Amino acid sequence: MLIVHKYGGTSVGSLERIENVASRVAKAKKEGNDIVVVVSAMSGETNKLIEFAKHFSDNPSKREMDMLLSSGERVTAALLAIALKEMGVDAIAMSGRQAGIKTDNFHTYARIESIDPTAMRNEIDKGRVVIVAGFQGINEDGEVTTLGRGGSDLSAVAIAGALKADACEIYSDVDGIYTTDPRIEPKAKKMDFISYEEMLELASLGAKVLQNRSVELAKKLKVKIVAKSSFSNEEGTVIGEESGNMEAVLVSGIALDRNQARVSLKDVSDRPGIAAEIFTKLADEQINVDMIIQNASSEGLTSLGFTVAQSELSKAQKIIENFDHDIGGKSFDSDICKVSIVGVGMKSHSGVAATAFSALAKENINIEMISTSEIKVSMIIAEKYAELAVRTLHSVYKLDA
Ligand code: ADP
Ligand code: ASP
Ligand code: MG
């Protein structure tokens, strides 16, 4: 079997933990498998490097940020290779470039365009464990790029796809995918299986256990992901194609996204083109707008509310402040969060959303915005109620049963 292992920041967070990973990889190799390992930077390392850059500039060059941030993963890859060799396991560390990972030109948020697996394949054929620095590649000019936060998951899935690996095992500090973040609700239950579709929603709605783009790619390439812990030998959770009998599960998980902020605009001139102007300006600055609410207008004025990632609020605020004539009142609020319920079973059942609204009402939690799709319901609430809302919803759908 050819298996891709991915170890996240916590799993390689100290020299002892890298040693632990080396032992696990050595064991898997000795069982007769071909192993490719993708590693993250040691935990906290990427944040530390970002802080270093901020010391010199509020707006550092993205090219240089990629030079800087890609180094974290290379450190871990090299250390793991050294540790493995010391255990008598032949191993070789590779940067994204050496592993043949080509991306587009979008520095700090690049997309993988192709992977030439020849170099990795040659090393595997020599019997070596190949260790690839995650989260990075090169663009057509040979410049180093990185793939966005959490991007090592994406590297692992893409490599598993390119090598046609039998599985992509993603190791973190939890032993699988739970019905909600077990740090918030200790009664959360581990799932044996979750469909790509549901996992993609959970990840996109804030469950950072897997990066959402990696799940999207796994679905496209049909890569089987197994989420496991690097600190135990528990069976993990398989993420794969939904099977016929899945519809019985109404709600499969609750996700929380604290990285949310809201912009509320009052007395907006209600004329054709105003929304286009506002949202085009935001899009030009690469600001992703999530929920949008516009109220019925009266006397030629309307009100408009939308959410953006908290990390993008100050950028959005600068843009909105420039709309003097058309917007009467502007307010910006980052003390909000988004809580969501996800389940493919919702497609064929009614009343799921109503249950959520009643449960939150009973706890006196005001719902400030709502958005729904076939398999999810998301609600914006005050940040201070985040954990209470997660636990309330987890219990009302009997996910702890
Ligand atoms: P890594 O650093 O290895 O990439 P992450 O910190 O990104 O790991 O992801 C693991 C964390 O994801 C867990 O510690 C857990 O708190 C969080 N998490 C959020 N939602 C879930 C969920 N539904 N199931 C499991 N873990 C979750
Ligand atoms: N080190 C990068 C980050 O912290 C990528 C990753 O760990 O997946 O976002
Ligand atoms: Mg992660």
Short mmCIF file of all heavy atoms in Angstrom, two decimals, residues 6 150 153 208-211, ligand 3:
data_model
loop_
_atom_site.label_atom_id
_atom_site.label_comp_id
_atom_site.label_asym_id
_atom_site.label_seq_id
_atom_site.Cartn_x
_atom_site.Cartn_y
_atom_site.Cartn_z
N LYS A 6 -0.17 12.91 6.94
CA LYS A 6 0.07 14.35 7.15
C LYS A 6 0.05 14.63 8.65
O LYS A 6 -0.88 14.22 9.36
CB LYS A 6 -0.99 15.18 6.43
CG LYS A 6 -0.79 16.69 6.57
CD LYS A 6 -1.66 17.28 7.65
CE LYS A 6 -1.31 18.72 7.98
NZ LYS A 6 -2.26 19.28 8.98
N GLY A 150 -3.56 26.62 7.03
CA GLY A 150 -4.03 25.25 7.08
C GLY A 150 -3.70 24.48 5.81
O GLY A 150 -4.18 23.36 5.60
N ASP A 153 -2.85 20.48 4.75
CA ASP A 153 -3.87 19.47 4.47
C ASP A 153 -4.07 19.36 2.95
O ASP A 153 -4.19 18.26 2.40
CB ASP A 153 -5.23 19.86 5.09
CG ASP A 153 -5.21 19.81 6.62
OD1 ASP A 153 -4.29 19.20 7.19
OD2 ASP A 153 -6.14 20.39 7.23
N LYS A 208 -12.07 23.65 12.05
CA LYS A 208 -10.75 23.74 11.41
C LYS A 208 -9.98 22.41 11.45
O LYS A 208 -8.80 22.38 11.08
CB LYS A 208 -9.94 24.85 12.05
CG LYS A 208 -9.53 24.54 13.48
CD LYS A 208 -8.37 25.41 13.91
CE LYS A 208 -7.85 24.90 15.24
NZ LYS A 208 -6.57 25.40 15.62
N VAL A 209 -10.64 21.35 11.87
CA VAL A 209 -9.94 20.06 11.92
C VAL A 209 -9.40 19.65 10.55
O VAL A 209 -8.37 19.00 10.44
CB VAL A 209 -10.83 18.98 12.59
CG1 VAL A 209 -12.16 18.82 11.87
CG2 VAL A 209 -10.12 17.66 12.72
N LEU A 210 -10.08 20.04 9.48
CA LEU A 210 -9.55 19.87 8.12
C LEU A 210 -9.73 21.19 7.38
O LEU A 210 -10.75 21.87 7.54
CB LEU A 210 -10.30 18.77 7.36
CG LEU A 210 -10.09 17.33 7.82
CD1 LEU A 210 -10.98 16.40 7.00
CD2 LEU A 210 -8.63 16.92 7.67
N GLN A 211 -8.76 21.53 6.55
CA GLN A 211 -8.90 22.74 5.75
C GLN A 211 -9.95 22.49 4.67
O GLN A 211 -9.94 21.44 4.02
CB GLN A 211 -7.54 23.08 5.13
CG GLN A 211 -7.49 24.44 4.47
CD GLN A 211 -6.80 24.40 3.14
OE1 GLN A 211 -6.86 23.39 2.44
NE2 GLN A 211 -6.16 25.49 2.77
MG MG B 3 -5.02 22.14 10.59
#
